[in-house]
Amino acid sequence: MRAALIGTDGSFSVGTFAEPQPEPGCSLVTVSVAGLGPTDLMRAKGFFGPVGAPYVPAGEGLGHLADGRRVYFGHSKPPYGALAERTLVPDDEIWAAPPTLSDDQVVALAISGTGALLPLQEARIVPGESVLILGATGPVGQIGAQVARLLGAGRVVAAARNRPALEAMKARGDADAIVVLGQGDDENALKGAAAGGYDVVLDVIYGSPAEAAMRATRPGARMMSIGVQAGQTVSLSLRELVSRSHIGVGTGQRPAAERRAAFDRLMAMACEGNLKVNTRCYAFDDAAEAWAAQAGSPHGKIVIRF
């Protein structure tokens, strides 16, 4: 079957791969759409451990079961992934896809959406609180800004490096104010938009921007960090942390039932017209181009169609 492959050196190529075979507790899925995300690149680079024998990348997708049901899936059984004509998926990782949502929106709102929803739920936003989305123009940040509003945020500030994408978020009403990072003094720029301090920070990028964001919070603030695109460490004094919480949130390894509950809530929000994320769609023949685009920090979810 046609498939994309990651070699033992982390290289990406398109070719053929052996068909998956049925196994107890798993089902074969014929793939319609595969979604790419930062985790796929990190895995190929060995961030989660040595790269094993060639494997099919892409951690999530949408397709059909043998009986014709349209389903979303994540966590395919290695060495299979979503970037192949067929994949093998544990049954508890196969979830019904709403018929009213397009393939690309289901995939765009799934892993990225749970990455935003779960930490914001755990932050326990009090109605009217001020929420900063750090790294706002990627899929997680775009969804996070919308979810924060639905969970009761009174003021949402979006911060990232891409000014046009930030201005588009503000024009859509997803953000009340924007901060363009990387223009000099991030700390003062974030404080200038804080209106007295942030109560909750959804931090998708970590590193020095997260340090600046924490210094712009007010007592009682909760920073929920879920990504490391801007750096894997921060340096904050105890004084800067007093009366504040900084929590590293993981979502991908949580029990399937917990992730499915978040997925179902996101799908309901989207079906009600309350959630939407930008996507960039590629044909499978252009999968190498899509892989390179993901490495370039895209400002929309990258999906690949078969």
Side-chain angles (χ1 to χ4, degrees):
M1 66 177 179
R2 295 188 303 163
L5 299 172
I6 301 296
T8 54
D9 60 354
S11 61
F12 179 94
S13 63
V14 176
T16 60
F17 199 63
E19 292 271 358
Q21 299 302 310
E23 293 185 15
C26 298
S27 294
L28 295 171
V29 180
T30 299
V31 181
S32 302
V33 168
L36 290 181
T39 301
D40 297 307
L41 273 69
M42 294 166 70
R43 181 170 288 110
K45 292 177 180 178
F47 184 87
F48 301 108
V51 178
Y55 71 89
V56 178
E60 62 177 334
L62 186 141
H64 293 83
L65 298 175
D67 61 8
R69 281 180 291 160
R70 178 173 172 263
V71 295
Y72 168 84
F73 64 89
H75 296 253
S76 297
K77 186 168 183 178
Y80 298 100
L83 256 180
E85 291 180 294
R86 284 164 291 283
T87 190
L88 183 67
V89 187
D91 290 333
D92 62 357
E93 299 287 353
I94 297 174
W95 308 334
T100 58
L101 291 184
S102 65
D103 291 357
D104 66 310
Q105 284 298 299
V106 172
V107 172
L109 289 167
I111 285 182
S112 297
T114 55
L117 176 61
L118 288 172
L120 286 172
Q121 287 181 154
E122 292 175 6
R124 299 184 183 277
I125 296 171
V126 175
E129 284 191 318
S130 176
V131 177
L132 169 66
I133 310 295
L134 197 61
T137 54
V140 176
Q142 288 180 40
I143 299 166
Q146 298 170 72
V147 167
R149 190 89 73 191
L150 293 171
L151 294 180
R155 177 177 170 82
V156 176
V157 177
R161 289 178 172 266
N162 187 302
R163 180 183 291 275
L166 287 170
E167 290 176 342
M169 290 183 69
K170 186 176 181 182
R172 290 194 301 267
D174 295 340
D176 300 298
I178 63 172
V179 176
V180 182
L181 301 174
Q183 301 298 299
D185 190 338
D186 287 345
E187 182 178 336
N188 278 332
L190 289 168
K191 286 179 176 177
Y198 303 106
D199 299 294
V200 173
V201 179
L202 178 63
D203 164 36
V204 185
I205 54 179
Y206 213 53
S208 59
E211 295 176 13
M214 181 62 87
R215 296 180 183 123
T217 60
R218 71 178 90 215
R222 293 85 73 199
M223 176 181 282
M224 318 300 285
S225 293
I226 60 173
V228 294
Q229 288 93 324
Q232 297 186 39
T233 61
V234 298
S235 178
L236 293 163
S237 70
L238 177 59
R239 182 177 181 179
E240 291 164 337
L241 290 172
V242 168
S243 300
R244 295 162 174 83
S245 301
H246 184 191
I247 302 171
V249 183
T251 58
Q253 300 307 313
R254 297 190 182 202
E258 185 177 352
R259 289 182 282 106
R260 181 169 188 170
F263 171 85
D264 288 341
R265 187 174 185 185
L266 287 161
M267 294 301 108
M269 291 174 174
C271 289
E272 292 165 2
N274 294 320
L275 280 183
K276 187 174 177 61
V277 63
N278 295 333
T279 60
R280 295 175 60 184
C281 298
Y282 294 80
F284 177 75
D285 289 342
D286 299 319
E289 181 183 347
W291 185 260
Q294 178 62 50
S297 300
H299 300 290
K301 180 71 175 184
I302 289 182
V303 296
I304 301 171
R305 297 182 180 278
F306 283 84

